[in-house]
Amino acid sequence: MSTKVLAAVAVTTALTLTACTDSPPDDATATGTATSPAVDCGPPPAADVTSPEGWIGYLAEHPDSVGLVIDDGHGNVVAHRADDPQPLASAVKVVHLAAYARAVADGTLDPAEQIPVAEWERWYLPDTDGGAHPAAMQRLGVTPEGTVALDDLVTAMIQESDNAAPDYLRDRLGDDALTAAAEQGGWDDFAPPTMLGNTLGFIAPEDTDADLWDTAQRYANDPGFRAEIHELLQQPDVLPDDPYGEMDRIQRDDNAGTAEQLASIHRAIADGSFGSGADIARGHLEWQPAPPGTEGLGFKGGSLPGILTEAMSLRLADGTVATAVILTSNMTEADYTAARGSFAHQGLMFAAMTEPEIFDRIRCAV
């Protein structure tokens, strides 16, 4: 089987905070939407997705395929296509996390509950997640025959970006719990996606129902259908003729949202306005040590062929909360592969939340 594209769906979840080193340009006129004072703008740098500096150039060269919103926590905001729906990839899992956190907070779920790994793996489609699920299993020290604590399963969803966990949570909590959690975070009209259903629609469209969630549930509950899909994955021509275009179409149909919607729920979790469960969700998103001089950095991104997404919240020492979201789609295979190799956009986003010069340069670029 050709796994070139399927293997590329994993997301590197460890944060890469490389600094922008070049000085900002100092002439011309600023563009973009922001609440900070006008600044002089020069030509953007050359586009290069392997460096934070080059990402500024990429944003300038691809205005129609990027949505972003950056809030430095001090009243300065830059936004570009912030209300236009974009493919979300695994960045959407923050909603599943929020629903889980609310359920734990109100006593509906016990984070220490031991879940049979087999129940988790009913939603797992092997060899389609870039190794995220096996990596989570290894980190947690669990086996297919054993059990896993519910809270550990949730860590796999956030840290390794496991795709089976969000569908397990959706099945267990129900769609109303997910839409309510999204609304609590300021995201209205949320439509729950299915990670498994998206992948099934990508590799087996002839076996996929109009409702992708119906297909995902069939896979989880019908061992015969599951075996058919596993056999299909062994075929050499399993991928569509235009995998990047097909993935974009499926995501826009089943897993789309705006930069502002993602920023809203991350902000609500970070500053506590989300309410009950905010501290639980925050603890999962801030699983890496806080950068020096800050109280905590929460993040969840995603990647699929041609799609790269990231959302961050930064709790600053002065009590303010900064947020940054960048949603990128329609990337060429070369740019997508290079971007996933560096994740330099993460460094740019962190710098934009903490360095006024970089904030202004992004404002100029968009």
Side-chain angles (χ1 to χ4, degrees), residues 207-221:
D207 296 316
T208 302
D209 299 322
D211 187 329
L212 293 178
W213 184 231
D214 286 346
T215 305
Q217 290 176 306
R218 182 184 174 197
Y219 176 93
N221 297 314

Side-chain angles (χ1 to χ4, degrees), residues 36-293:
S36 56
V39 295
D40 291 333
C41 297
D48 175 9
V49 294
T50 66
S51 71
E53 172 78 7
W55 261 98
I56 296 175
Y58 185 89
L59 297 177
E61 286 191 12
H62 298 84
D64 295 333
S65 60
V66 172
L68 66 82
V69 59
I70 301 168
D71 183 339
D72 70 358
H74 296 284
N76 301 309
V77 180
V78 59
H80 173 71
R81 297 182 66 238
D83 295 317
D84 291 354
Q86 290 267 101
L88 296 179
S90 289
V92 76
K93 294 171 185 174
V94 67
V95 177
H96 301 76
L97 172 64
Y100 163 79
R102 290 186 66 185
V104 169
D106 69 18
T108 300
L109 293 179
D110 175 4
E113 178 188 354
Q114 292 296 310
I115 307 298
V117 173
E119 284 297 300
W120 178 13
E121 293 196 321
R122 287 193 303 121
W123 304 94
Y124 171 53
L125 184 56
D127 300 321
T128 61
D129 65 353
H133 184 76
M137 296 274 285
Q138 182 176 16
R139 174 178 62 84
L140 296 172
V142 298
T143 66
E145 298 76 27
T147 62
V148 60
L150 179 57
D151 199 64
D152 285 341
L153 182 152
V154 173
T155 70
M157 178 178 71
I158 300 302
Q159 296 186 26
E160 285 84 13
S161 206
D162 176 77
N163 282 339
D167 280 345
Y168 170 86
L169 290 172
R170 178 181 177 182
D171 183 64
R172 182 154 181 188
L173 291 171
D175 286 4
D176 288 348
L178 270 66
T179 55
E183 185 174 359
Q184 187 69 21
W187 185 338
D188 295 331
D189 302 320
F190 176 75
T194 164
M195 306 296 112
L196 174 59
N198 272 229
T199 307
L200 290 172
F202 181 68
I203 64 171
E206 67 280 358
D207 296 316
T208 302
D209 299 322
D211 187 329
L212 293 178
W213 184 231
D214 286 346
T215 305
Q217 290 176 306
R218 182 184 174 197
Y219 176 93
N221 297 314
D222 183 344
F225 180 60
R226 191 155 60 245
E228 290 177 14
I229 296 298
H230 290 180
E231 182 177 352
L232 175 65
L233 281 171
Q234 305 308 312
Q235 304 304 311
D237 300 320
V238 67
L239 300 180
D241 293 336
D242 178 16
Y244 279 60
E246 184 64 8
M247 183 63 77
D248 188 87
R249 182 194 67 77
I250 292 171
Q251 282 281 297
R252 290 183 188 277
D253 285 347
D254 186 65
N255 185 25
T258 72
E260 180 53 45
Q261 287 168 332
L262 266 183
S264 178
I265 193 168
H266 275 268
R267 186 182 308 116
I269 290 170
D271 67 17
S273 62
F274 180 80
S276 180
D279 56 336
I280 298 169
R282 187 186 312 125
H284 279 281
L285 291 172
E286 295 181 358
W287 63 277
Q288 287 195 329

Side-chain angles (χ1 to χ4, degrees), residues 18-23 43-62 66 326 328 331 335 338-339 342-349 358 361-362 365:
T18 306
C20 295
T21 55
D22 291 351
S23 59
D48 175 9
V49 294
T50 66
S51 71
E53 172 78 7
W55 261 98
I56 296 175
Y58 185 89
L59 297 177
E61 286 191 12
H62 298 84
V66 172
I326 292 181
T328 309
M331 300 183 79
D335 281 341
S342 68
F343 277 80
H345 65 291
Q346 294 177 332
L348 176 66
M349 293 169 69
I358 304 306
R361 294 186 68 192
I362 294 175

